[in-house]
C-alpha cells in the first residue's frame, strides 16, 4: 500500500515501510494530534513520538514492547497520554532538556541538540528548534537507502513554521533554526511528519521561505 500520511481521529493509522524502519502514523485527541510509532525492522524495538491523547488507542498500536516515548515539546496536547502509556509499557521517557521541566511526567532522558537517539539499530538525530517553545525538538532519520525523514512536532508544517503567537523574536528564532538546521542541510526529498495534519516535503515548502520571512509567521 502507498503511504499518504492523511489520517483522521477515529480512523485507521497509515503505515510507511522503509528498508530499516516502519513508521506508523495515527491521529488522536480533540486537537487532531499526530503520534508516530517507529519500529526497527532488525530488532522490533519501538519508539513512540508524542503520546498525545487517547492512551488506549495508542496502546492498541504500540503493544507491550515499547522502549521509548519522545515528547517533541512541552505543550500538553502532545503528552496528555504519556502517563498512561508509560505506566502500561514501562517505556523510557525522553524530551528536549529545556522543555522537560514543563512536562508533568518526569523525563528520564533529557535531549540536547545534536544528540543521537536509537530505536534498535536505527539512529535518529535530535535538533532543537527554538520559538514555538523554548526547547522543542525534532527527530531526523537519514535513511541510508533513501531520503531523510523528519518528525517536526509543531515546529514545521505544510505552509509555514509553528505558531509563535505574534512574537517577532520567537518567530525570528524559529525561522532561523528551521532554515539552518533543516532547509540548509537536507535535500528537497526530505519528508516532513508534523504534529498535526498532513505531511509535506522540504522541496514543497522551500520556495515559500521568503514569503514566510516577509509575513512573519
Amino acid at each position: 500500500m502507498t503511504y499518504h500520511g492523511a489520517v483522521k481521529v477515529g480512523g485507521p493509522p497509515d503505515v510507511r515501510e522503509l528498508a530499516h524502519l516502519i513508521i506508523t502514523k495515527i491521529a488522536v485527541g480533540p486537537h487532531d494530534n499526530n503520534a508516530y510509532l517507529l519500529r526497527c525492522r532488525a530488532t522490533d524495538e519501538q519508539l513512540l513520538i508524542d503520546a498525545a491523547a487517547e492512551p488506549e488507542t495508542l496502546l492498541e498500536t504500540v503493544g507491550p514492547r515499547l522502549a521509548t516515548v519522545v515528547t517533541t515539546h512541552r505543550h500538553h496536547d502532545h503528552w496528555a497520554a504519556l502517563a498512561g502509556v508509560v505506566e502500561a509499557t514501562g517505556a523510557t521517557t525522553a524530551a528536549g532538556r529545556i522543555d522537560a521541566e514543563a512536562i508533568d511526567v518526569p523525563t528520564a532522558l533529557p535531549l540536547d541538540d545534536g544528540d543521537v537517539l536509537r530505536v534498535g539499530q536505527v539512529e535518529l538525530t535530535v535538533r532543537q528548534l527554538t520559538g514555538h517553545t523554548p526547547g522543542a525538538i525534532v527527530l531526523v532519520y537519514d535513511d541510508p537507502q533513501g531520503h531523510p525523514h523528519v518528525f517536526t512536532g509543531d515546529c514545521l508544517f505544510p505552509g509555514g513554521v509553528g505558531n509563535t503567537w505574534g512574537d517577532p523574536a520567537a518567530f525570528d528564532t524559529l525561522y532561523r533554526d528551521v532554515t539552518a538546521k533543516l532547509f540548509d542541510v537536507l535535500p528537497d526529498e526530505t519528508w516532513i511528519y508534523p504534529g498535526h495534519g498532513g505531511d509535506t516535503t522540504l522541496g514543497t515548502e522551500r520556495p515559500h521561505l521568503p514569503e514566510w520571512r516577509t509575513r512573519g509567521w
Side-chain angles (χ1 to χ4, degrees), residues 100-207:
E101 63 183 15
I103 298 170
D104 285 354
V105 181
T107 296
L109 183 60
L111 300 171
D112 296 305
D113 188 69
D115 283 351
V116 174
L117 190 62
R118 291 176 175 83
V119 50
Q121 297 178 5
V122 170
E123 294 188 347
L124 307 168
T125 301
V126 177
R127 304 303 309 196
Q128 180 180 312
L129 306 181
T130 301
H132 181 69
T133 65
I137 58 169
V138 306
L139 299 178
V140 181
Y141 171 53
D142 193 357
D143 185 354
Q145 292 180 238
H147 54 73
H149 300 257
V150 187
F151 302 88
T152 58
D154 285 359
C155 288
L156 179 62
F157 294 96
V161 299
N163 195 347
T164 53
W165 296 277
D167 182 339
F171 170 79
D172 287 347
T173 302
L174 183 55
Y175 181 86
R176 180 195 66 204
D177 281 357
V178 165
T179 301
K181 297 180 182 182
L182 299 182
F183 284 97
D184 286 354
V185 295
L186 298 174
D188 284 350
E189 296 78 14
T190 301
W191 198 273
I192 301 300
Y193 305 83
H196 306 263
D199 300 352
T200 188
T201 65
L202 287 188
T204 300
E205 306 304 324
R206 193 184 303 276

Side-chain angles (χ1 to χ4, degrees), residues 71 88 162 210:
T71 302

Side-chain angles (χ1 to χ4, degrees), residues 32-56:
D32 296 330
N33 286 76
N34 296 325
Y36 298 93
L37 180 67
L38 279 53
R39 178 165 66 88
C40 171
R41 282 185 176 272
T43 66
D44 281 335
E45 185 170 309
Q46 297 183 126
L47 176 148
L48 181 66
I49 300 172
D50 284 347
E54 301 179 32
E56 296 84 2

